[in-house]
Amino acid sequence: MKVKIDADLCTACGLCTDSVPQVFKMGKDVAEVIAADVPANIEGAVKDAASDCPAEAILFS
Ligand code: SF4
């Protein structure tokens, strides 16, 4: 599974970086993906973060 963040949508709320710090970290203005190829054991957590993101900025495929 691959994941990315739409920087135009992210409001830097910090939800994803708190919930899955293995994949997301807070950058200067918006959250950033540090592991675009998501390890299988945390795919569920990334999907949950995507559903919980208030800006719907987390996209995965
Ligand atoms: S949860 Fe969404 S809006 Fe919040 S920091 Fe992560 S990508 Fe940005």
Side-chain angles (χ1 to χ4, degrees):
M1 186 175 115
K2 294 195 182 293
V3 66
K4 60 185 179 181
I5 288 177
D6 186 331
D8 292 333
L9 296 177
C10 174
T11 59
C13 72
L15 207 62
C16 63
T17 56
D18 284 349
S19 59
V20 201
Q22 306 97 315
V23 172
F24 305 108
K25 78 165 180 134
M26 193 54 66
K28 188 163 172 281
D29 298 313
V30 295
E32 297 173 349
V33 171
I34 54 175
D37 284 314
V38 178
N41 62 328
I42 51 173
E43 284 187 358
V46 168
K47 287 177 182 172
D48 286 348
S51 347
D52 291 345
C53 172
E56 299 184 2
I58 300 174
L59 312 169
F60 60 85
S61 56

